[in-house]
Amino acid sequence: MILAVTPLAAAAVLLVTAGLIRATLDPARARRRATQGATLTAALTILVAVVSGFLTGRGHGVLLDGGTEGALTLTLLPAGLLSTTNAAIGIAGLLACALAPLASHPPRTLRRMLLVLAVAHVFVATTEPWILAALWTLSAALAWRELRATADHRATARVFGLHHAVSTACLVLGAALVATGHGGWAIPLLLAAIAIREAIVPVHGWFPTFVERAPLGMVVAFAAPQLGVYAHLELFTAGLPIATAHGVAVFGAVTAVLAGALGTVQTDARRALAWLMMSQSGLVAFGLENSEPAGQIGALVTWQVLAVATSGFAMTLAALEARRGTLSLHGPGGSFARTPRMAVAFLILGFASVGLPGTLGFIAEDLLVQGSVEEYPLQAFALIIATALNGITVMRCFFALFSGSRNHVGEPDLVGRERVALTLAIAALVFTGLWPQALLALHETGAAVLSTGSH
Amino acid sequence: MTIDLLEILLAGLVAVPGLACAVLALPAWFGHRFRESTIVSIIGSAFAVTTLSAAVLVVVLLVRGETEIGAHLGEWFAFGHDRFALVLLGDRLSLPFALFSAALVGVIAAFSRRYMHQEVGFYRFYLLLCLFGLGVEIVVLAGSLDLIFLGWELVGLTSALLVAFFHERPKPVEHGLRAFLTYRVCDVGLLGAAAWLHHEVGTAQMIEGDALAPWDGLPVPSDALATAVVGLLLLWATMGKSAQVPLSGWLPRAMEGPTPSSAIFYGAISIHLGPYLLLRAAPILDASPLTAWMVVAVGAATALHANFVGRVQTDIKSVLSYASMTQVGLIFVEIGLGLRYIALAHIVGHAALRSLEILRSPNLLHDHQHLEKAIGSTLPRTGLHLEWLVPKRLQPWLYRHALERGAFDALLRDGVVGNWTRVLRGVDRIDRAWTRRLGGPSAEPPVAPPAPKEVTR
């Protein structure tokens, strides 16, 4: 069994913070503590990733080699392509806590968010199917409990519960089959479980309503780490049969384009966000089925870009919602001049998630397109269309929310904690976007392994 | 002077504007705002240095009798077979463009100091202008289609944001979104062409042409069909950026932005990036007659359409935007017919004249009266030849066609975007109904109207 220590430490920090919040009734105090815990986690994961990966080139760093198969092996970080995943989850967690509005994020919600984030950190720390299945279940149960706890969200909880009960059952059964050496039989079950979790068309029904109704901090904590991607990597180590892989790629491409198109016609900002996130999930699902290393790595970099950029985009939306109320896209209804930093962060993070030059999103887009075109020329074209549609959604949201009106309802610009969290997210995206090779070098080994494993 | 120094100068054409962007953007994010004069000095100095560097490169190449210089700045990133090389190319096509663009950005920066003085968005205007200048330098000096795409995206984004510069009024915002939508839909062509070139040829880097080729160009796929596909995708990309029919409706609306940005974007540089890309794609046009004739057809249709429509416009900026469109349409025709040097001269001449006209457009009445005083009578009517050339029976139809801007806008808005929106909203309704069925009626909230609430954070 392989265990990565840094994610475990990150999870421990989050669990302790969740424990501290348990006794806190004051929402502002709870958010302050949650933000402190998330900051510590983000700092730890970023520091270890930078020092171990970028500066010393040690990669994941084996601390204790078990030697034989099945013996416990301790590493500093998850191997190769996953060594920066925890940092991405750490930043997403910080964004979720620091920009969480008090009205929609009482201490109970913050505690559950921290628990979901802790589960996500541990999830990428291990490769054991049975642990993955247990954490998968726990994560879904925590989000479901959050929805159940609010009377307004009961119906959403039903839809969520229905989908995730099926997803969990499929994953548990699939993981059991994998653990007992019946990997072939497990494939359809695992694919169904992952497709539901990643909101791939046509089993996406829970996702738009979840994003519309749930506190956005919980949406980010649950959806941004994209546990389905990691489950895909770890549970299909032998790779998918070619026909199946092509089928999955088609579903991913259809999701990317359809969700991208639907995002452009929404009149509610949260629902537009939901389709945007789904479209990007589709891109990742599509890219993972590439046999070209560049395509695979494009999908994985997209995964990490989404964890940071889309989380920032979503939480900026949450912060704006807290200031203005329900955000409609019926027409231009805001003023850029009142909240310039918030508008700029919204624009940069939104476009970073769809390939803004100078950010990691551009690198991800390029790798995904160039890596896919050899194997899936038509789907690669669909992917380009999906990216264009997502860009239209982002710009439409920006213009609708930050322009077209002189009205000022007294909304303040970003406050200190919000600015720090957003600055970190933007800096991470720009730094890795301008100097991407260090990040890609970390991933190289992992992608090679993935490549030889698949097909 | 060693060749290394020339490479540094070439790289500086991109690096200096990039540095100026960073110098302006970073302090602004952290709450520090420069004074107006400092902002203008930063951008003015950056583009003066850029202009000077480009001029030195032109002179050195002329003196040495060389046709090009390349700066290989290494690989930005590489993974597997995919390599993104940072190659800049200074040749007899790119250097005049780079020199002219940098000079014009500098001139516009100086001009706007008074024009935009005390404007609320002064800082934003200059930052976007600087980003635009950076994007243009990247596009014209790029040694590969991948790098062109990077600059192309920057130009599109800054263009849309500047159209919506007066963001508190709904119309500029609506027009900015329209321009961005057109750009984004057409950018699919550029990225698609780059991907297809990688698929067919293995690279999207400029290559040296045969002895008759005036400058380096994009590689040509061996397969005729693939060549046509790449060529048509590139044409699609240029149709959006250069406002060719039927996608031209955004251009007159884009004049909602500040006059100096309209001058540089839609009179001078941005609108000519389409022809620039086609000049770089000359080998593909030579290898694919279908593409070349399509370029001619699109250009001719645009020139005719814009000429007629421009004659019935009642505001000067719309007249000038259609005049720009007419000239760019003619440049497309020249490129499609293989008259590349003529096209290059036409671009530079037109850009200089049109940007001057747009910059002077606020003085229209003054200029008009000045001219009338000078000639001692009212100005003569123009376009009489059309009354003579066009049959009487056709004239009312043509007038109506011009008034309705060829009905292209209505066709796109209602026929294409409207229908697609209806279909997609239908799909969305089905999705909502499915969710309601699963979770009960309250699983899907009704579409909420905008409702400001109390401020709670």
Side-chain angles (χ1 to χ4, degrees), chain B residues 217-236:
Chain B
L218 291 170
V220 182
S222 54
D223 178 38
L225 180 62
T227 308
V229 168
V230 172
L232 292 175
L233 283 170
L234 288 171
L235 173 61
W236 177 249

Side-chain angles (χ1 to χ4, degrees), chain A residues 1-87:
Chain A
M1 183 167 76
I2 301 172
L3 271 181
V5 172
T6 306
L8 294 180
V13 172
L14 292 172
L15 289 175
V16 170
T17 312
L20 291 172
I21 289 177
R22 195 181 179 82
T24 310
L25 292 174
D26 177 16
R29 197 170 170 200
R31 184 175 63 186
R32 195 162 54 244
R33 283 192 171 162
T35 306
Q36 286 164 352
T39 307
L40 191 58
T41 310
L44 174 74
T45 48
I46 293 171
L47 191 71
V48 175
V50 169
V51 171
S52 178
F54 291 85
L55 298 183
T56 65
R58 286 181 60 205
H60 60 290
V62 177
L63 302 174
L64 172 70
D65 193 350
T68 57
E69 198 178 337
L72 179 67
T73 297
L74 289 179
T75 61
L76 194 59
L77 286 166
L81 69 174
L82 299 163
S83 54
T84 49
T85 307
N86 286 106

Side-chain angles (χ1 to χ4, degrees), chain A residues 129 170-192 194 231-232 234-241 244:
Chain A
C170 288
L171 195 95
V172 169
L173 205 57
L177 287 170
V178 169
T180 53
H182 298 87
W185 292 98
I187 288 175
L189 289 168
L190 294 174
L191 283 178
I194 292 168
H232 183 287
E234 288 305 328
L235 297 174
F236 296 129
T237 45
L240 290 171
T244 311

Side-chain angles (χ1 to χ4, degrees), chain A residues 350-437:
Chain A
F351 273 106
S353 73
V354 298
L356 178 71
T359 67
L360 190 60
F362 182 82
I363 314 296
E365 185 191 4
D366 187 84
L367 286 167
L368 201 52
V369 171
Q370 305 301 354
S372 308
V373 73
E374 282 296 321
E375 192 173 2
Y376 304 104
L378 281 180
Q379 287 93 325
F381 199 71
L383 184 154
I384 294 170
I385 292 173
T387 310
L389 291 169
N390 290 339
I392 290 170
T393 301
V394 170
M395 190 56 118
R396 192 167 158 259
C397 287
F398 174 76
F399 279 148
L401 298 175
F402 291 103
S403 63
S405 168
R406 288 191 176 87
N407 294 337
H408 179 33
V409 293
E411 72 260 33
D413 203 357
L414 296 176
V415 295
R417 80 189 127 69
E418 293 171 331
R419 204 162 70 197
V420 169
L422 289 170
T423 303
L424 179 67
I426 293 171
L429 289 166
V430 171
F431 182 79
T432 49
L434 293 177
W435 293 279
Q437 196 54 45

